[in-house]
Amino acid sequence: MITVPAQPFPHSFDPAHVALLCIDFQRDFVEPGGFGESLGNDVSRLRTAVGPTRAVLAAFRERGWPVIHTREGHRPDLTDLFPAKRDRGNPSLRIGEEGPMGRLLVRGSKGHDIVPELAPLPGEVVVDKPGKGSFYATDLETVLRARSITSLVVTGVTTEVCVQSTVREANDRGFEALILSDCTGSYFPEFHESALAMFAAQGAIVGWVATSTDLLGAIDSSPVPAKDM
């Protein structure tokens, strides 16, 4: 077992049953010209999560621990896009319309891609989802159970929307979640802090919260498995 200093108390996980979940690190949310910016947000605020997540991603890859990426987006014909989602707010562009990186939040467009710094490697699972939660209308639960995963280390954007939706879904399905505060981010700093507080409230009612430094320090003592010759 590996024990990580965390809030509200240390969190332990079995490295044989853990996976890293990288939620929606897509150009559409993190880079200028995408869906996030069309809503009037300062997308640079999400960039702070990329570097720490890259370090955690490297540690998982070095040890051969599973990594799962998610992407929010819709079919090119938009048959999986509810009007209730499409028509919210007053963005400069709506989902499916043409932007600087192609059609916003549409699978196959440049904006739908994960940022290069965190791009999936061959063999890493990529889950395409039409909603905010990573379990809704996807096979994520099947993938996790097929690999006997019981614990998730969670990174991604945004903290109070797709990350929070996913962690609550995971909790209801019996998975334990360690959310990394510096590997998650929001366009609204106060929402980020509030979401983290809600995760750990009432004795980790939704999950545990730690930093990437906490996690990496804890797993540094875990031996790297020998590679097959």
Side-chain angles (χ1 to χ4, degrees):
M1 299 293 286
I2 293 176
T3 300
V4 183
Q7 295 296 326
F9 52 84
H11 172 63
S12 297
F13 63 84
D14 183 344
H17 299 286
V18 70
L20 176 64
L21 188 59
C22 300
I23 299 173
D24 297 3
F25 279 111
Q26 297 162 250
R27 293 178 184 268
D28 258 330
F29 297 126
V30 179
E31 295 184 356
F35 180 66
E37 190 173 70
S38 79
L39 296 172
N41 296 308
D42 178 2
V43 297
S44 68
R45 289 179 173 169
L46 302 190
R47 294 294 307 178
T48 60
V50 173
T53 300
R54 191 176 187 181
V56 174
L57 186 58
F60 268 68
R61 286 169 172 169
E62 182 181 19
R63 288 163 175 78
W65 298 346
V67 174
I68 299 172
H69 307 262
T70 74
R71 299 183 298 197
E72 181 179 350
H74 296 275
R75 297 171 179 268
D77 61 8
L78 303 183
T79 52
D80 59 349
L81 175 61
F82 295 119
K85 180 179 182 181
R86 180 194 64 213
D87 297 336
R88 289 293 171 90
N90 188 32
S92 59
L93 293 171
R94 294 197 181 275
I95 296 171
E97 294 183 345
E98 195 71 32
M101 294 187 288
R103 298 175 68 202
L104 272 65
L105 285 188
V106 170
R107 298 173 189 177
S109 68
K110 180 180 177 182
H112 185 253
D113 286 343
I114 294 169
V115 296
E117 300 96 318
L118 304 175
L121 293 180
E124 293 178 350
V125 174
V126 179
V127 174
D128 283 321
K129 59 190 184 72
K132 299 172 178 65
S134 299
F135 289 87
Y136 167 68
T138 75
D139 60 359
L140 176 58
E141 183 174 1
T142 301
V143 169
L144 295 175
R145 298 206 187 280
R147 295 188 173 193
S148 300
I149 301 300
T150 57
S151 296
L152 299 172
V153 172
V154 181
T155 68
V157 297
T158 60
T159 318
E160 78 280 7
V161 183
C162 294
V163 172
Q164 179 160 218
S165 295
T166 297
V167 172
R168 290 183 182 277
E169 290 177 327
N171 180 261
D172 283 343
R173 288 163 172 77
F175 298 100
E176 303 282 28
L178 175 67
I179 303 97
L180 300 183
S181 58
D182 57 335
C183 295
T184 51
S186 172
Y187 303 121
F188 306 95
E190 65 274 23
F191 292 173
H192 174 72
E193 294 301 330
S194 294
L196 295 176
M198 285 189 281
F199 295 150
Q202 302 180 79
I205 193 167
V206 178
W208 288 259
V209 176
T211 68
S212 61
T213 302
D214 294 327
L215 174 67
L216 294 174
I219 67 176
D220 272 346
S221 59
S222 175
V224 178
K227 293 182 170 60
D228 294 334
M229 301 301 291

